[in-house]
Every structure is written in C-alpha cells, then in structure tokens.
Amino acid sequence: MKKIGLYFGTFNPIHIGHLTIANHLAEYSDLDEIWMVVTPHNPFKKKSSLLDNQHRYEMVHLATESYPKIKPSDIEFKLPQPNYTIHTLVHLSEKHPTYQFHLIMGEDNLKGLHKWKNYEAIVENHEIYVYPRISEGKVASVFDQVGQIHRIDAPIMQISSTFIRKAIADGKNIRPLVPHKVWNYIDDMYFYR
C-alpha cells in the first residue's frame, strides 16, 4: 500500500514555507508521496484576492516539478462545492484502492478539527501528520490519546501567502520566498499587483 500525504491549501501563491514542510514530510516520514491539493475557490465566498484555480494549480506544478515525491493535485476542482475533506478522502480512496490517504495539517488546524464534518471518520480511517505552527488556543482533549496523530518535528515556517501578496502589491522584492519558476510566472502575469 502506497502512503500518500494530502497537503491542502489555496497556495495563493505557493511559497518556500509550503515546499519546506512538504519536502520534510517526503524525506523524514513514512509517507511515500505528498500531494499538494489545490483547494478551489469557494463559490459562496467573495473572490477577494484568490487567483483562478488553474493559475494556482500551475504555480504548484511549477514549484514541485523537480521534487519526485511531491505532486500537484487538482482533485477538488472536479468535486461538488462547497467541498468537505471527508468527501475528498472518500473519493480518492475509491479512485485509488491501492493507496492509503492521510492528512497533513498545521497545529492551528488540528485545534479546530473537532468542528470538521465527520471528523470522527477522518481520525478513525486516516493518519494525521501535524507540523508545528505558532498559534493561539489548545488542541481539543478528544485528540490526546489518538494514535493516528503524528507530530512532525518540521521547521516552523512564519511565511504566509497573505504577506507575499501584500509585499508584491507594495512593490517589494519577495523573490527569495517563492520558487524561481513561480516568481517568473507571477511576474509575467502581473499577479497580486
């Protein structure tokens, strides 16, 4: 059974923080591959500064093409909206019966996991790989004894896509924060200005 870690995000844009965490999990965990699942624009939310699905997918593709264990995924573009993680997990498990799918999330997301749709089924059937994030609040005690939750000693990344978008709008040079090909794509398309 191939073990796939699903790393969900809007990746608006993908940056070196995302890649550092994905690569750390690819190299230092028992996961065989990391799939960067680009979450679609929620039709019930205001568009704000979220780029079109295909542009964000293309940036993830450009960022990951030289990492054989990290792959872009547009699986959620094809599912009904609004989408819930449990539906994506069920869909992927049916589509790829020889793969096991597990979740990758920041500690900040684990703190709210008990509010997710069908969270009990997620925790029961899928392992969760949690990377450290500096955030407020506590993890719900319901997860204290859950053996399916693995805390990963990955580097703490304090870079955010929000910061990058604002910096680009302000005319700052953020090239070191995004992969080279992603920077060229953003620059060529005049994104976030």
Side-chain angles (χ1 to χ4, degrees), residues 55-176:
H55 286 306
R56 291 180 293 112
Y57 177 81
E58 179 60 21
M59 288 191 287
V60 173
H61 168 73
L62 291 169
T64 58
E65 62 187 355
S66 58
Y67 295 86
K69 293 182 186 174
I70 306 173
K71 311 218 178 309
S73 172
D74 62 358
I75 192 69
E76 289 203 329
F77 296 179
K78 303 167 179 92
L79 298 175
Q81 295 295 319
N83 192 35
Y84 296 98
T85 302
I86 187 69
H87 297 162
T88 304
L89 288 165
V90 167
H91 178 80
L92 284 170
S93 299
E94 287 170 358
K95 195 174 171 187
H96 304 280
T98 60
Y99 291 7
Q100 287 179 328
F101 291 96
H102 306 290
L103 291 183
I104 295 167
M105 67 175 63
E107 193 167 21
D108 50 336
N109 285 326
L110 182 63
K111 289 171 185 171
L113 182 62
H114 61 288
K115 297 178 187 153
W116 289 24
K117 182 179 174 79
N118 298 68
Y119 83 87
E120 302 92 341
I122 293 175
V123 173
E124 201 173 309
N125 299 301
H126 306 276
E127 294 173 43
I128 299 175
Y129 293 76
V130 181
Y131 58 86
R133 290 287 289 266
I134 296 170
S135 62
E136 299 293 313
K138 283 197 164 82
V139 172
S141 58
V142 67
F143 300 126
D144 285 350
Q145 304 305 316
V146 177
Q148 297 273 72
I149 294 176
H150 311 285
R151 292 183 180 277
I152 303 296
D153 189 24
I156 294 179
M157 302 305 290
Q158 288 290 84
I159 305 164
S160 75
S161 296
T162 308
F163 171 82
I164 289 171
R165 290 193 307 273
K166 183 174 180 337
I168 292 171
D170 292 343
K172 306 291 187 203
N173 180 358
I174 54 85
R175 266 189 250 190

